[in-house]
């Protein structure tokens, strides 16, 4: 019997149609429309498709993602083999990351979309959807949590980033989990599952802004954020996590009131913790009570801090900053490749 794959459509470029009134394209196609455009899906699985929304991805928020996570749990409990989520690409790196923190089941959850809308030559949505369904239906993709399948590359949700505004190869991660070959997912790594969050349904959304200081940028927004009720603050800093000295006193004062996290605006490498000791260096910031984001960029650090605050407090934040692989057996230096 064929595996059962549920496609949950949220909108985005993959679902866009020309909108004469707006002078461009806007989400309009349903999940069923997306499936109808790819007849090859029928050979892979029993497909059911539905819409949870039909929005540009910038309109997706945490409440919708909580509803999506609940829908995924219900489908898994009902015997679904795998889940595919289609959405706009602008926020895939955030939504996939949040879903990975909420999804504790074993079924594959595969997020995909398109960079070229269906009205353009070479639209990539059908190929991405076919690859995503192949991953969702493949037993080898179980227990991976949430993955992103895009442009025939398979990325771990914890690491994936969008690095281009229009290229079909916009999505990047430092070490992809695998690739598509002849219509099948080929995995080269099996990362450990991350810890997760169980968010109470009545938890209010905290206000956690991101500040990105540039040259000669005064720290006026730090106090402004506090005055507006920020319950946490994320800084997108230069290099390994460094800020100019005028920011130090405001940040020290803020860290006594709310959790303040610093990340690197390079979006590559780990935030440093023991290299630079000058004023405004990462050692100085840690000594002032700020928290480093480890492997997380600012977008993902903000989401972890928000979910931590929604589930009781910021103490769990440090549990999510190390995304590196750890061998349980010290005699095995690298993870075994899947076959």
């Amino acid at each position: 019997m064929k595996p059962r794959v549920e496609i949950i459509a949220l909108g985005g470029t993959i679902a866009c149609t020309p909108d004469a009134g707006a002078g461009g394209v806007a989400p309009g196609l349903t999940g069923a429309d997306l499936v109808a455009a790819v007849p090859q899906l029928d050979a892979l699985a029993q497909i059911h498709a539905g819409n949870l929304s039909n929005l540009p991805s910038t309109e997706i928020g945490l409440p919708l993602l909580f509803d999506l996570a609940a829908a995924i749990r219900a489908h898994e409990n009902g015997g679904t083999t795998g889940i595919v989520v289609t959405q706009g690409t602008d926020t895939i790196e955030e939504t996939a990351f949040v879903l990975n923190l909420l999804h504790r089941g074993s079924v594959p959850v595969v997020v995909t979309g398109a960079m070229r809308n269906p009205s353009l030559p070479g639209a990539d949505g059908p190929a991405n959807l076919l690859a995503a369904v192949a991953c969702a239906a493949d037993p080898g993709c179980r227990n991976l949590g949430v993955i992103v399948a895009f442009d025939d590359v398979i990325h771990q949700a914890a690491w994936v980033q969008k690095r281009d505004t229009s290229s079909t190869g916009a999505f990047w991660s430092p070490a992809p989990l695998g690739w598509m070959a002849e219509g099948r997912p080929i995995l080269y790594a099996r990362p450990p599952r991350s810890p997760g969050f169980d968010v109470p349904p009545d938890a209010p959304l905290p206000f956690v802004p991101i500040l990105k200081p540039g040259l000669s940028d005064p720290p006026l927004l730090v106090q402004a954020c506090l005055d507006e009720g920020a319950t946490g603050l994320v800084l997108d800093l230069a290099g390994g996590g460094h800020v100019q000295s005028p920011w130090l006193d405001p940040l020290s004062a803020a860290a006594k009131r709310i959790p303040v996290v610093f990340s690197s605006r390079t979006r590559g490498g780990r935030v440093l913790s023991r290299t630079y000791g000058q004023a405004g260096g990462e050692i100085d910031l840690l000594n002032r009570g700020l928290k480093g984001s480890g492997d997380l960029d600012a977008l993902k650090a903000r989401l972890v801090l928000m979910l931590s605050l929604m589930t009781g407090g910021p103490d769990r934040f440090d549990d999510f900053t190390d995304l590196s692989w750890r061998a349980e057996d010290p005699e095995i230096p690298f993870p075994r490749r899947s076959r």
Side-chain angles (χ1 to χ4, degrees):
M1 190 169 68
K2 292 180 184 177
R4 291 168 49 192
V5 172
E6 183 74 23
I7 296 174
I8 304 176
L10 303 183
T13 297
I14 193 171
C16 276
T17 56
D19 184 339
V25 296
L29 299 176
T30 66
D33 294 329
L34 301 182
V35 170
V38 190
Q40 297 89 339
L41 293 174
D42 185 59
L44 296 177
Q46 300 177 58
I47 304 290
H48 180 266
N51 276 69
L52 191 59
S53 69
N54 211 342
L55 300 167
S57 68
T58 48
E59 297 298 322
I60 296 173
L62 285 179
L64 179 57
L65 293 179
F66 297 150
D67 290 342
L68 177 56
I72 289 170
R73 286 192 295 273
H75 287 304
E76 179 167 17
N77 292 338
T80 295
T81 305
I83 310 288
V84 171
V85 177
T86 64
Q87 65 159 89
T89 61
D90 286 353
T91 62
I92 275 182
E93 62 187 283
E94 294 175 271
T95 59
F97 181 65
V98 170
L99 284 179
N100 193 52
L101 297 175
L102 300 176
H103 174 53
R104 312 319 305 157
S106 61
V107 300
V109 176
V110 190
V111 184
T112 196
M115 295 298 295
R116 295 175 181 163
N117 73 76
S119 69
L120 294 177
D124 55 329
N128 288 339
L129 182 58
L130 187 63
V133 170
C135 290
D138 194 301
C141 292
R142 291 181 65 83
N143 292 304
L144 289 179
V146 176
I147 58 178
V148 173
F150 217 98
D151 197 33
D152 280 347
V153 184
I154 303 167
H155 302 279
Q156 187 181 3
W159 289 104
V160 71
Q161 296 175 348
K162 185 178 181 182
R163 292 285 189 98
D164 196 278
T165 60
S166 57
S167 169
T168 56
F171 287 90
W172 174 92
S173 60
L177 297 181
W179 290 265
M180 298 298 298
E182 297 183 316
R184 294 180 53 236
I186 306 299
L187 300 179
Y188 288 89
R190 292 197 68 84
R193 295 292 295 272
S194 67
F197 291 98
D198 293 313
V199 181
D202 57 347
L205 288 178
F207 173 39
V208 180
I210 298 174
L211 300 183
K212 187 174 184 176
L215 292 180
S216 299
D217 192 2
L220 303 178
L221 291 178
V222 175
Q223 187 59 49
C225 290
L226 295 174
D227 292 343
E228 291 300 320
T231 51
L233 188 62
V234 175
L235 303 164
D236 205 12
L237 300 184
H242 307 144
V243 72
Q244 51 265 50
S245 55
W247 284 68
L248 295 177
D249 286 343
L251 290 177
S252 298
K256 294 177 181 177
R257 297 173 54 180
I258 60 174
V260 180
V261 171
F262 65 93
S263 63
S264 170
R265 70 189 188 192
T266 65
R267 299 229 299 166
R270 175 172 289 185
V271 169
L272 302 179
S273 62
R274 55 182 183 178
T275 301
Y276 292 96
Q278 77 268 13
E282 77 280 354
I283 295 174
D284 183 31
L285 296 180
L286 292 169
N287 288 336
R288 291 172 182 270
L290 282 71
K291 290 176 173 286
S293 68
D295 292 318
L296 301 174
D297 61 25
L299 289 172
K300 290 173 179 171
R302 171 181 175 268
L303 293 166
V304 169
L305 184 53
M306 290 180 71
L307 292 172
S308 297
L309 291 168
M310 295 175 74
T311 53
D315 292 345
R316 292 194 65 199
F317 179 84
D318 293 339
D319 295 339
F320 296 84
T321 60
D322 187 350
L323 303 180
S324 61
W325 180 79
R326 289 288 183 268
E328 295 179 3
D329 183 349
E331 298 301 317
I332 302 175
F334 299 105
R336 295 187 178 92
R337 291 184 177 182
S338 64
R339 296 187 183 275

